[in-house]
Amino acid sequence: MTIPTEPIGSIPRSPELLSALTSHAQGALPDSALAELQDRAVAETVRRLEELGSPVVTDGEQAKPSFATYPLAGLKTLDPDGVVIPFADGHQRQLPTLTAGPFRYQTNAETYLRAAQRHATKPVKQAVIAASALSLLYPPAGIQGYPQAQFISDLVDQAEADIRGCLDAGAHVVQLDFTEGRLSLKLDPSGGVLKQFIDLNNQVLDRFTDAERARIGVHTCPGGDQDSTHSLDVDYAGLLPDLFQLRAGTFYLQLASEADPERVLSIAAEQMRPGVRVFVGVTDPIDPSVETPEQVRDRVLAAARHIPVDRLGTCDDCGFSPFADDTSTSRDLAFAKIRARVEGTAMAAEALGV
């Protein structure tokens, strides 16, 4: 036995790929040329992760427009003026609004998984967006002829298909990105919206067997974009009791950027259900300094004082570039942090004798 370690998701895109995305958006680069460059970026990302000794790899989300909106690419029934997500530094991201039904994913995550598998010799994990995030697409005023109940039914079907396609294609694990969980407590401190999100995601998870749910994880963080967050000021104590009600087998918790990680670990230890595994964040994608393997080791050893080592794993706090246009972190810096995570986790495993 050893301590497993996994990436969370996105790796910053190369300048070449960013330039290609701009040219494609302007109509100056055909789809086929962009697809070739994206596949090249996936291959290079997988290669570098494997060279660093990462036991599990991802595509680095090189072909995703963002971690949240990939199912919508090409969907015509959207209005850009949807829910606004404010970040601590003052910048915003905005989701679109659905204008007509039925709601159908235009791109499934299985597409990204299979692209990575073509280049990988290690197990490949795949991140998908949680149904709760996409539930925000439905406008408060409703859609004529397409009631919200029907939208939710369609959404649950689509979210299930997104996960199941990845499981059937051989994903090592499917990770639900649930960054809106912590944000919901900022928007609604009563916790009502959070409970709605948990219930919706469980409607999806309940469609899977216990064996399948063992390969499904949930990632939570306070958001990460342009070196800022949207909900780091929200206390984990309000999130974790509900978070662990999600019927998934694994939980990925942002922790390296927390002011008091020991307190969060103690809460997690109290709330985690029997049989689940908790991966703790040991590298902070927003911090420009690179963690040393020794720092990572010490963070793992601290976590092991709260969480049984046979149910403990490590990860990065968040993706390094969840939105394709986020250039706040360099590609080389991201890989340096990943190297520290892999090496530091191995050092901790040795110290713990596992």
Side-chain angles (χ1 to χ4, degrees):
M1 185 181 73
T2 187
I3 299 174
T5 187
E6 296 178 9
I8 285 298
S10 58
I11 302 292
R13 285 70 167 173
S14 68
E16 178 186 26
L17 182 53
L18 289 170
S19 177
L21 290 169
T22 300
S23 296
H24 180 263
Q26 295 171 345
L29 187 72
D31 292 349
S32 58
L34 177 62
E36 182 178 346
L37 288 170
Q38 288 172 328
D39 187 62
R40 190 184 307 166
V42 170
E44 199 259 350
T45 299
V46 169
R47 176 183 62 79
R48 291 188 69 173
L49 287 171
E50 293 192 347
E51 287 175 351
L52 293 176
S54 182
V56 175
V57 301
T58 74
D59 69 340
E61 301 188 352
Q62 299 299 286
K64 279 185 180 179
S66 85
F67 79 104
T69 60
Y70 70 86
L72 311 179
L75 186 62
K76 305 301 183 184
T77 54
L78 293 174
D79 186 287
D81 296 325
V83 173
V84 173
I85 302 172
F87 286 78
D89 65 354
H91 87 275
Q92 299 178 337
R93 292 287 184 176
Q94 188 169 23
L95 295 175
T97 294
L98 193 67
T99 60
F103 176 65
R104 298 289 185 269
Y105 281 23
Q106 302 302 291
T107 302
N108 285 94
E110 178 189 346
T111 302
Y112 306 114
L113 171 65
R114 292 189 181 278
Q117 287 173 326
R118 287 197 298 271
H119 304 289
T121 63
K122 302 288 187 181
V124 182
K125 74 180 289 187
Q126 181 59 52
V128 304
I129 190 61
S132 50
L134 294 179
S135 71
L136 298 173
L137 297 175
Y138 195 83
I143 299 173
Q144 185 174 4
Y146 190 53
Q148 187 173 24
Q150 184 59 56
F151 164 72
I152 293 298
S153 177
D154 290 342
L155 172 58
V156 170
D157 287 345
Q158 295 294 294
E160 177 198 358
D162 203 33
I163 298 169
R164 193 170 297 284
C166 295
L167 292 177
D168 291 347
H172 171 71
V173 67
V174 178
Q175 171 189 295
L176 275 64
D177 286 327
F178 186 48
T179 182
E180 68 278 9
R182 201 160 172 180
L183 177 62
S184 73
L185 289 171
K186 191 168 189 175
L187 303 176
D188 175 22
S190 76
V193 172
L194 174 60
K195 286 180 169 54
Q196 291 175 16
F197 283 170
I198 297 294
D199 177 70
L200 176 58
N201 290 330
N202 273 336
Q203 288 183 51
V204 178
L205 292 168
D206 283 345
R207 296 187 174 193
F208 296 90
T209 65
D210 289 343
E212 289 168 334
R213 285 195 291 267
R215 293 169 57 203
I216 300 174
V218 177
H219 169 240
T220 187
C221 72
D225 182 42
Q226 299 179 19
D227 283 349
S228 187
T229 63
H230 55 53
S231 53
L232 188 59
D233 54 337
V234 174
D235 193 339
Y236 248 136
L239 173 66
L240 291 180
D242 286 302
L243 180 76
F244 283 115
Q245 296 306 306
L246 286 168
R247 291 186 275 277
T250 303
F251 293 85
Y252 302 88
L253 305 183
Q254 159 268 341
L255 196 64
S257 56
E258 282 297 308
D260 190 354
E262 291 275 356
R263 175 174 174 268
V264 176
L265 285 165
S266 67
I267 297 171
E270 292 173 358
Q271 298 294 331
M272 59 189 288
R273 302 191 322 275
V276 304
R277 184 182 290 274
V278 173
F279 281 68
V280 297
V282 293
T283 56
D284 180 3
I286 289 177
D287 187 345
S289 62
V290 178
E291 294 83 357
T292 66
E294 290 76 15
Q295 285 176 309
V296 170
R297 175 200 62 199
D298 292 346
R299 288 171 178 174
V300 181
L301 295 178
R305 291 195 291 269
H306 298 270
I307 297 171
V309 70
D310 63 340
R311 297 167 62 190
L312 177 64
T314 69
C315 59
D316 309 302
D317 269 5
C318 188
F320 289 91
S321 182
F323 297 88
D325 62 357
D326 181 3
T327 58
S328 59
T329 300
S330 75
R331 193 167 172 83
D332 286 340
L333 179 64
F335 284 119
K337 284 176 171 282
I338 291 169
R339 178 189 293 276
R341 170 172 54 77
V342 172
E343 294 180 355
T345 302
M347 291 169 65
E350 182 176 0
L352 291 166
V354 297

